[in-house]
Amino acid sequence: MVTTLTNATSFAVANFKREFNNFGTETRLLKEPSISLPISCKKTISVAWKDISHLEAISNYTMFYFNNGKKLLVSRTMKDFLAKLDAELFVRVHKSFAINLNYLIQFDVKEEMFVQLKDGKKISVSRRKKKAFLEKTKNYLGTSQVF
């Protein structure tokens, strides 16, 4: 009798562990934030936020620049995409540019008014976006690293 109860308990525990591990895997796969980019009338691709280094607005189009050096032109405004991206991670530094703070390596907002990304690209910071950029950078990096 004791053996049967022990076997039943170990079977239940094994099933619970298997179900829990499967549940954990599914949630981990869903947790990575991504955005769908339309590449043609009926096709879209899903791109992880972490792979996007910066965005450039070109009239009613948005150019996405990726960490592997590739770029993609999409026929929607940057404003549409910024509403779907993480507001803490992506910051608009200019009328035509938004950057991913993970790729920021250097910035100067006192004299030259620019940000520099890991790929070496320098992007100017507008006077109107300076305050919002400093606030988001301060929140993202922490007070001691920014000032």
Side-chain angles (χ1 to χ4, degrees):
M1 179 87 175
V2 174
T3 324
T4 309
L5 183 61
T6 307
N7 289 340
T9 306
S10 63
F11 177 76
V13 169
N15 279 342
F16 175 76
K17 284 182 180 178
R18 185 171 43 249
E19 289 175 20
F20 181 76
N21 287 338
N22 288 340
F23 176 75
T25 304
E26 291 170 5
T27 55
R28 271 184 258 126
L29 292 175
L30 295 175
K31 277 188 177 181
E32 183 170 302
S34 62
I35 187 168
S36 294
L37 302 177
I39 55 173
S40 69
C41 293
K42 296 180 181 179
K43 293 184 181 181
T44 62
I45 59 170
S46 183
V47 177
W49 291 353
K50 65 178 182 155
D51 295 335
I52 302 169
S53 69
H54 64 285
L55 293 81
E56 179 180 5
I58 307 168
S59 185
N60 287 331
Y61 294 87
T62 303
M63 181 70 77
F64 282 82
Y65 293 88
F66 301 103
N67 60 358
N68 60 4
K70 294 186 179 183
K71 54 187 178 179
L72 176 68
L73 184 65
V74 181
S75 64
R76 295 230 170 89
T77 63
M78 187 164 67
K79 183 179 179 180
D80 293 340
F81 290 116
L82 287 177
K84 297 175 184 177
L85 293 169
D86 184 11
E88 297 296 320
L89 187 61
F90 288 88
V91 60
R92 198 162 191 165
V93 294
H94 191 275
K95 175 182 163 186
S96 301
F97 289 98
I99 64 166
N100 182 340
L101 290 176
N102 285 331
Y103 292 93
L104 178 67
I105 59 168
Q106 180 182 358
F107 66 91
D108 177 18
V109 291
K110 293 189 183 215
E111 293 177 16
E112 294 182 37
M113 300 284 289
F114 75 92
V115 295
Q116 186 172 3
L117 303 177
K118 288 182 182 177
D119 62 358
K121 185 162 188 173
K122 282 188 175 183
I123 299 172
S124 63
V125 177
S126 70
R127 289 177 306 198
R128 293 182 184 198
K129 304 290 182 184
K130 175 182 170 181
K131 184 177 178 182
F133 169 72
L134 286 174
E135 287 177 10
K136 286 191 179 186
T137 307
K138 180 180 175 183
N139 290 339
Y140 186 74
L141 299 175
T143 309
S144 62
Q145 293 181 357
V146 177
F147 299 106

